[in-house]
Amino acid sequence: MLNRRCFLAVLLGPAFILVLALPLPPGGAFAAGLEVRAEAFIQSMAQEALESLTQQGTSREERIKRFRKMFNAHFAVRSIGKFVLGRYWRKASKDEQAEYLSLFEDLMVTSYVDRFQRYAGKNLNILKTRAEKGSAVTVFTEIARPDGARPVQVLWRVGARGEIIKILDVVVEGASMSQTLRSDFGSIIRQRGGKVSGLLEELRVKTASLKADAGN
Amino acid sequence: MSWHPAHGRHVRVSTLVLVVFLVLAGGCATMPDPGDPEAVAEFNKVNDPAEPANRAIFELNRGLDTAFLKPVATFYRDVIPQFFQDRINDALDNLRAPVIFLNDILQGELDRALATAARFMVNSTIGILGVIDIATEMGLEGHDEDFGQTLAVWGMPEGPYVVLPLFGPSNPRDTIGIVVDFLVDPFNLWASNSNRDFAVFARTGSRAVDLRAIHMEALDSLEKTSLDYYATLRSLYRQRRADEISNGKGSANLPAPGLGQAPLDDGQPPPGDGIKTSEKTSRIR
């Protein structure tokens, strides 16, 4: 672990400084800088997950608390939440939007806290990075599985604005988290006569039951 | 709704009658208001015109799963040592190789066809009838293909979403794929030509248990965390198939949330979130 971190630091450090030091033309060179930053960002998040989520003897409540902090720090929660609600975002009142974002955060944190542990530390291996339209990049990773089965392919869509860098979407074996949630929430809203309040009701029930869950 | 002739004859008549009844009773999804272009666009994107009937079959499949498949798969996962589970999985994978090879060829993927053929030869001999996937150990990794994917590569559209009895999420293109793969599979041909239909049952049954056990954790977690399990699986099925068709190369091209012109979320509660601000802050820090 330490070796890998050192190796990365040695590898990425000079590249980072080089990119910063050069008078940058817009476009290509700038994007390359973002690719390096995005990789370092994903790598350090995996390390953070290892340190804060996988310790023995930590209660689930404590892990949820720590993961909530990580989730808010590293994910573009508001942007993802808006995308997931799609066209219904505009139809929601200000109060509904606010409650939705809060419940959405709760749902993400309680759903992913147990799954996210697997993305910790050396389980995550960065394969390559590709620049996307706008100031976004996709970091291609594979996550090792404990039983030695074929690793899981996970893509991280990362966006940047200035110094801030955040995850926009996670794509696991071709299935996008935000796309899937959008289908899920959209279906509920349609069943509730196009009303966001119907979705909020179901989200309240779901998040309450997930919080109470023992997390097995 | 298309039927699956090869397997259809194995399905109990009573189940058939029930399914037909449910399909007729379920009918079709309610059309959106044609004056609302966004609703119409959404309806077309969901592409599930027989949704009520599909949901009925989905619930039927879920009932059968809860009653039969899941208990057996749970027992298999918890009681049979992982080593033997892996051997069974390898053997079942190896049996699929001829069909994968054929579809590699039909898709014009000659390198992949050669890899499949080499794997089949190595695993069927040194790997003792496929029980040990020696080829992967030698660096010759396997992949999956099916005729549904071949039709997609040939340009056939998927058509509307369909939930098949027993087989689960599908569409007309993949339904044709299941039938064709079944009919050309040398193992099935051998079994039916030599009056060994039980062998087909045994293989299909073991495959169902094997796959159900492998996906147990993921499915349980999805069922627990999704609001609408049906809609979640519908979306996942389409995304997974698109990924498989492109052999894993297309998944980065999905539309995703963008930071766009919106203020970049920095983890602070959005303005107007007055109610929960203090609670949220205290929760985080």
Side-chain angles (χ1 to χ4, degrees):
Chain A
M1 177 56 47
L2 201 69
N3 283 340
R4 190 182 164 74
R5 293 256 293 167
C6 288
F7 177 67
L8 263 174
V10 169
L11 203 70
L12 298 183
F16 193 44
I17 291 162
L18 197 71
V19 164
L20 286 182
L22 288 169
L24 288 176
F30 181 75
L34 182 56
E35 286 167 44
V36 173
R37 280 171 64 202
E39 284 190 16
F41 167 73
I42 294 294
Q43 193 72 56
S44 82
M45 191 186 62
Q47 185 61 25
E48 192 183 340
L50 178 77
E51 282 156 13
S52 69
L53 299 179
T54 61
Q55 286 163 0
Q56 294 287 316
T58 314
S59 70
R60 185 166 190 266
E61 207 181 330
E62 176 62 25
R63 278 192 291 117
I64 287 178
K65 208 173 129 193
R66 292 179 187 176
F67 182 60
R68 186 184 297 278
K69 200 174 162 188
M70 273 185 72
F71 183 68
N72 277 308
H74 302 320
F75 284 73
V77 183
R78 189 181 163 87
S79 300
I80 299 170
K82 277 176 73 173
F83 175 85
V84 166
L85 203 53
R87 69 194 184 100
Y88 298 107
W89 175 261
R90 279 177 284 117
K91 300 192 174 180
S93 70
K94 278 270 172 283
D95 284 350
E96 283 176 337
Q97 289 180 353
E99 191 189 357
Y100 163 76
L101 285 175
S102 163
L103 287 169
F104 175 72
E105 180 194 310
D106 276 353
L107 180 77
M108 290 296 89
V109 170
T110 48
S111 302
Y112 282 93
V113 64
D114 301 314
R115 287 183 236 176
F116 209 77
Q117 290 180 54
R118 285 175 233 147
Y119 297 178
K122 65 176 184 300
N123 287 341
L124 181 142
N125 180 27
I126 293 177
L127 302 173
K128 60 171 178 172
T129 303
R130 190 180 72 195
E132 306 289 348
K133 270 188 288 183
S135 52
V137 293
T138 302
V139 181
F140 293 70
T141 67
E142 57 180 23
I143 315 281
R145 280 189 281 195
D147 53 6
R150 200 176 61 85
V152 182
Q153 307 295 313
V154 179
L155 314 188
W156 307 83
R157 297 280 202 108
V158 176
R161 177 164 308 162
E163 291 299 300
I164 306 167
I165 187 160
K166 297 246 179 185
I167 294 164
L168 297 167
D169 197 7
V170 185
V171 183
V172 181
E173 293 283 331
S176 138
M177 178 188 76
S178 57
Q179 283 290 328
T180 309
L181 287 165
R182 192 174 180 153
S183 305
D184 188 6
F185 288 13
S187 178
I188 295 289
I189 295 174
R190 279 194 303 283
Q191 288 169 46
R192 297 302 202 97
K195 292 202 167 56
V196 174
S197 58
L199 172 70
L200 295 180
E201 272 172 38
E202 303 220 7
L203 275 174
R204 275 180 223 125
V205 174
K206 181 59 84 177
T207 51
S209 84
L210 285 172
K211 271 181 203 166
D213 194 75
N216 36 36
Chain B
M1 124 128 243
S2 40
W3 189 246
H4 186 320
H7 286 72
R9 65 167 187 260
H10 300 315
V11 178
R12 288 216 161 171
V13 177
S14 55
T15 315
L16 253 173
V17 170
L18 180 67
V19 166
V20 170
F21 171 75
L22 287 171
V23 169
L24 293 176
C28 289
T30 327
M31 291 291 289
D33 174 11
D36 183 348
E38 278 191 326
V40 174
E42 192 177 354
F43 182 83
N44 291 334
K45 189 162 179 289
V46 171
N47 193 15
D48 188 0
E51 183 168 336
N54 281 337
R55 278 188 189 268
I57 298 168
F58 179 73
E59 288 309 321
L60 178 83
N61 286 344
R62 243 174 125 179
L64 291 171
D65 176 56
T66 312
F68 304 108
L69 187 56
K70 193 175 175 184
V72 175
T74 307
F75 178 85
Y76 174 79
R77 185 196 60 173
D78 295 344
V79 174
I80 309 291
Q82 186 65 46
F83 176 81
F84 293 107
Q85 290 186 40
D86 290 346
R87 300 293 69 76
I88 291 168
N89 181 261
D90 285 355
L92 289 167
D93 277 352
N94 193 52
L95 276 183
R96 267 193 66 76
V99 167
I100 297 173
F101 174 76
L102 206 62
N103 283 297
D104 283 333
I105 296 277
L106 290 174
Q107 292 175 30
E109 300 265 10
L110 294 184
D111 288 350
R112 281 162 71 94
L114 279 175
T116 305
R119 279 176 54 80
F120 185 65
M121 279 186 268
V122 170
N123 284 343
S124 302
T125 52
I126 310 172
I128 318 162
L129 294 176
V131 168
I132 305 161
D133 184 359
I134 294 282
T136 295
E137 303 294 321
M138 290 163 59
L140 205 56
E141 283 205 32
H143 60 263
D144 203 11
E145 284 297 348
D146 55 68
F147 195 65
Q149 295 185 48
T150 299
L151 288 174
V153 170
W154 289 353
M156 180 177 171
E158 61 180 337
Y161 184 67
V162 169
V163 181
L164 299 176
L166 300 178
F167 288 81
S170 194
N171 55 50
R173 184 176 70 197
D174 290 341
T175 307
I176 296 172
I178 296 172
V179 177
V180 170
D181 285 338
F182 183 88
L183 292 177
V184 302
D185 191 306
F187 179 88
N188 293 344
L189 290 172
W190 162 79
S192 67
N193 287 340
S194 58
N195 262 333
R196 288 189 180 95
D197 278 349
F198 70 89
V200 178
F201 277 112
R203 178 192 177 187
T204 311
S206 335
R207 190 54 162 180
V209 172
D210 169 54
L211 291 177
R212 187 67 181 86
I214 288 173
H215 294 118
M216 184 80 72
E217 206 186 326
L219 286 172
D220 283 352
S221 155
L222 277 174
E223 188 170 10
K224 198 166 72 183
T225 59
S226 60
L227 300 180
D228 185 342
Y229 190 38
Y230 171 86
T232 299
L233 285 185
R234 177 175 63 199
S235 172
L236 285 174
Y237 179 74
R238 288 208 178 109
Q239 294 184 60
R240 289 283 299 123
R241 287 302 281 171
D243 189 55
E244 285 167 357
I245 290 161
S246 74
N247 295 336
K249 287 175 198 123
S251 53
N253 299 320
L254 291 162
L259 295 176
Q261 267 62 55
L264 180 59
D265 173 41
D266 53 1
Q268 295 302 310
D273 187 5
I275 327 148
K276 303 199 83 178
T277 304
S278 56
E279 193 194 331
K280 207 177 220 169
T281 314
S282 65
R283 260 194 331 231
I284 298 169
R285 317 225 184 267

